[in-house]
Amino acid sequence: MSLTYVTAKEAAALVNHNDNVGFSGFTHAGCPKVVPVEIAKRAEEEHAKGNPFKIGMFTGASTGDSIDGSLARANAVKFRTPYQTNKDMRNAINAVEHDPIQYFDMHLSQVAQEIRYGFLGGVDVAVVEACEVTESGEIVPTSGVGIMPTICRLAKKVIVELNDKVPAKMRGVHDLYELQDPPKRRHINIFEVQNRIGLEYVKVDPSKIYVVRTSEENEGSGFAPVDEITAKIGENVANFFVSELKKGNIPPTFLPIQSGVGNIANAVLASMAQNKDIPRFEVYTEVIQDAVLDMMQKGHISFASGCSLTLSNEAMDRFYRDLDFFKNKLVLRPSEISNNPGLVRRLGVIGINTALEADIFGNVNSTHVMGNMMMNGIGGSGDFTRSAYISIFVTPSTAKNGMISAIVPKVAHEDHSEHSVKVIVSEYGVADLRGKGTYARAEEIIENCAHPDYRPLLRDYLNLSKKGHTPQNLYACYDFHKAFLETGSMLNADFSKYKK
Ligand code: 0RQ
């Protein structure tokens, strides 16, 4: 049977009010770009007629502006999970006084299985990007996978954006495999980063496929150049690795690295490339950013497994040009495999993620500014942190021109607890929390990671109540945050009033 070809507008008409829609991709990579914009237009048209129109959204991680931006601006979203980074989506999620989006911030590895378990409602429509689709129903993803195998299998209708800007030669880059669900789950046959266990494509019944031809560029913006602070954080991480290698805590062949998304993560990898004492290593991660590509070409990274190629447009072009070179050195997997905590522990992955703030005992907040405003979400940080061989959090010591300390007495929201966080790194140094009790952890974090301007205040807090296993003072623990909210600077915190 032949496939059904439709326009983007016709495809959007297949989506109804209250439908749950799953989107392919992970970050902007591999996301559909045309149909979501048409769904947003449809929502606006229905709203103008006085009709309700909102959808539930499942994604792999954050998406491009065509999905999150368009749908948020059209007030077309009923609920959304997981991670997002779009300004308009973030504002809509935080705008409780209006009609807020139900946003639930899940560990990325769990999204596909929770959809399968039925916890989140069914999938009515999948909208996915592909570089190839065959008459028999084989769909080959583009630069990001996310939850694509699950949503394609479960959806009643699968809308495929066939993007001719992505070479069909991408076929072979992916390894697509869906986990079985309990009580029948079996072991996952990945014992080395480069092992393959699945198919090059997702296969669905062709009668439910609607193909929209597109010609869309990658939505990737560039990375900020490495600045003094991110370079120093990167250097501190690299030096920490060298000392761990010398102590024999990391095997001489090194271990696979996961590094989160964004400028700091990119800078950390760049610093590892510059350090001659770090051997060639592998990457088992979620997002493969520009630095990984550079390091593969220069021979610093031997193999990369990820869920997406989150590349700038320049790096994406370079990838397509050298596809034959990269094909043997790289694999893209669904998020339930790229972020699988069991595999992270099995492979001994070293996880590097970013904190908004950490407290002096090692609890980390990666998501909520001042405890209430959602920034992005935890993304895959929890998938990796809890199971990592060594879990590292990186952060500049201050934010907002020094008015906010990233090291605080108590985090205003907790994503990663002291039980999972092993190492914290700022531009000032490395706090190694392994094997240390609460007082020693606090000293390590204050003296090695806090900005020198904040160290006396943090010492004052620590000295307030030397009581019990954790010297927490519930009357004073949020005085850094209160000082910022009331005066615009955490430097105005004053613990003298609590001293008897
Ligand atoms: O805001 O740009 O308005 O000045 O937060 O901070 O330093 O540019 O760093 O872009 O890497 O973002 C944690 C949000 C950091 C991100 C977070 C303000 C700061 C700035 C951004 P401005 P930076 P980044 C990967 C795995 C989730 C956890 C993770 C993130 C803006 O890395 O979402 O790693 N991580 N997941 O000024 C108020 C503070 C602040 C603060 C920074 N304490 N209070 N504002 N900022 N610290 C994701 C995936 O799985 C795909």
Side-chain angles (χ1 to χ4, degrees):
M1 89 169 265
S2 56
L3 296 167
T4 308
Y5 285 80
V6 292
T7 64
K9 199 172 161 60
E10 286 163 348
L14 299 167
V15 178
N16 296 312
H17 171 56
N18 261 336
D19 274 357
N20 290 342
V21 182
F23 294 97
S24 67
F26 197 90
T27 71
H28 64 265
C31 287
K33 301 168 181 66
V34 174
V35 176
V37 174
E38 288 298 328
I39 299 173
K41 280 190 201 154
R42 184 158 141 66
E44 281 167 343
E45 282 161 19
E46 291 300 323
H47 296 162
K49 288 186 227 156
N51 298 330
F53 191 102
K54 283 192 182 210
I55 59 168
M57 284 177 67
F58 304 125
T59 64
S62 56
T63 68
D65 188 69
S66 316
I67 300 182
D68 272 320
S70 307
L71 292 167
R73 288 189 290 274
N75 193 21
V77 184
K78 180 176 58 168
F79 74 78
R80 191 209 185 294
T81 193
Y83 191 76
Q84 52 72 43
T85 53
N86 182 274
K87 176 169 64 64
D88 295 313
M89 181 58 77
R90 181 183 301 133
N91 289 341
I93 286 168
N94 285 315
V96 279
E97 62 278 13
H98 301 303
D99 183 12
I101 293 167
Q102 300 283 329
Y103 174 58
F104 30 101
D105 185 19
M106 290 173 65
H107 297 295
L108 302 184
S109 68
Q110 294 180 340
V111 179
Q113 67 179 25
E114 295 216 358
I115 294 174
R116 288 196 301 266
Y117 297 166
F119 293 175
L120 310 175
V123 186
D124 298 292
V125 185
V127 187
V128 303
E129 189 184 67
C131 63
E132 188 188 348
V133 52
T134 70
E135 298 284 322
S136 62
E138 293 174 9
I139 307 170
V140 181
T142 59
S143 55
V145 183
I147 53 173
M148 184 159 161
T150 301
I151 54 170
C152 284
R153 189 170 56 75
L154 296 180
K156 298 173 199 113
K157 299 167 224 170
V158 178
I159 299 169
V160 179
E161 287 192 9
L162 183 61
N163 189 350
D164 70 10
K165 282 272 160 48
V166 182
K169 272 206 310 184
M170 277 289 277
R171 189 181 178 117
V173 167
H174 311 91
D175 184 46
L176 304 171
Y177 180 83
E178 240 190 314
L179 291 178
Q180 303 89 343
D181 291 330
K184 302 258 185 202
R185 183 164 294 176
R186 313 295 297 172
H187 58 275
I188 307 169
N189 274 325
I190 294 178
F191 300 96
E192 285 162 35
V193 170
Q194 69 276 15
N195 290 160
R196 285 174 167 270
I197 53 172
L199 299 172
E200 296 173 348
Y201 50 82
V202 174
K203 177 103 166 50
V204 302
D205 174 357
S207 69
K208 66 175 187 179
I209 296 180
Y210 298 84
V211 184
V212 179
R213 291 188 183 282
T214 70
S215 194
E216 295 295 307
E217 295 290 349
N218 182 45
E219 283 185 302
S221 51
F223 290 92
V226 175
D227 63 21
E228 214 181 310
I229 289 180
T230 48
K232 196 69 198 141
I233 293 173
E235 203 183 307
N236 289 342
V237 173
N239 290 339
F240 168 74
F241 286 149
V242 173
S243 87
E244 286 294 291
L245 275 165
K246 285 193 180 135
K247 285 183 203 157
N249 290 343
I250 297 178
T253 46
F254 217 69
L255 287 166
I257 290 284
Q258 172 259 341
S259 92
V261 77
N263 297 327
I264 302 178
N266 215 40
V268 166
L269 285 172
S271 297
M272 288 180 69
Q274 279 156 21
N275 195 311
K276 303 261 174 306
D277 293 324
I278 297 181
R280 222 153 94 100
F281 62 94
E282 294 169 326
V283 164
Y284 195 86
T285 193
E286 42 190 2
V287 287
I288 295 173
Q289 301 196 132
D290 285 20
V292 173
L293 226 59
D294 300 340
M295 289 167 78
M296 288 177 106
Q297 285 181 310
K298 289 184 186 140
H300 299 296
I301 290 177
S302 51
F303 196 93
S305 162
C307 190
S308 71
L309 292 162
T310 303
L311 301 175
S312 64
N313 287 359
E314 177 278 314
M316 196 77 240
D317 288 342
R318 192 153 32 105
F319 177 83
Y320 291 149
R321 268 200 314 273
D322 287 342
L323 202 52
D324 292 333
F325 167 84
F326 286 114
K327 243 181 179 169
N328 306 321
K329 296 186 170 50
L330 185 144
V331 59
L332 295 182
R333 310 181 190 274
S335 41
E336 65 177 338
I337 306 293
S338 66
N339 287 34
N340 188 281
L343 293 178
V344 170
R345 189 159 292 187
R346 179 188 290 170
L347 298 170
V349 175
I350 297 174
I352 311 168
N353 292 286
T354 316
L356 279 176
E357 59 180 7
D359 69 29
I360 55 174
F361 305 112
N363 303 289
V364 164
N365 170 13
S366 284
T367 58
H368 284 72
V369 173
M370 296 295 140
N372 57 353
M373 299 306 273
M374 171 55 73
M375 178 68 102
N376 302 326
I378 44 173
S381 54
D383 292 326
F384 288 92
T385 294
R386 178 75 179 87
S387 304
Y389 186 92
I390 305 176
S391 57
I392 301 174
F393 275 90
V394 289
T395 179
S397 66
T398 61
K400 306 294 173 205
N401 295 323
M403 298 299 111
I404 291 179
S405 172
I407 307 298
V408 292
K410 183 166 172 58
V411 283
H413 173 95
E414 186 169 319
D415 295 298
H416 308 292
S417 81
E418 58 179 303
H419 313 288
S420 307
V421 178
K422 308 286 181 210
V423 175
I424 298 176
V425 180
S426 78
E427 73 276 25
Y428 286 99
V430 176
D432 184 353
L433 310 179
R434 292 170 298 172
K436 296 194 173 76
T438 40
Y439 292 82
R441 290 163 81 92
E443 264 164 42
E444 186 85 9
I445 295 171
I446 296 170
E447 304 311 329
N448 295 344
C449 291
H451 190 284
D453 291 350
Y454 282 98
R455 287 181 197 172
L457 279 170
L458 290 164
R459 288 181 201 125
D460 278 357
Y461 176 77
L462 189 60
N463 288 326
L464 265 188
S465 46
K466 292 216 156 160
K467 201 168 98 186
H469 175 67
T470 302
Q472 197 73 270
N473 183 311
L474 293 184
Y475 299 95
C477 61
Y478 288 123
D479 274 20
F480 267 42
H481 300 88
K482 280 191 251 170
F484 178 75
L485 293 171
E486 286 163 12
T487 71
S489 173
M490 286 186 174
L491 280 169
N492 294 324
D494 176 8
F495 296 107
S496 60
K497 58 181 177 284
Y498 298 101
K499 287 184 190 147
K500 297 208 180 84

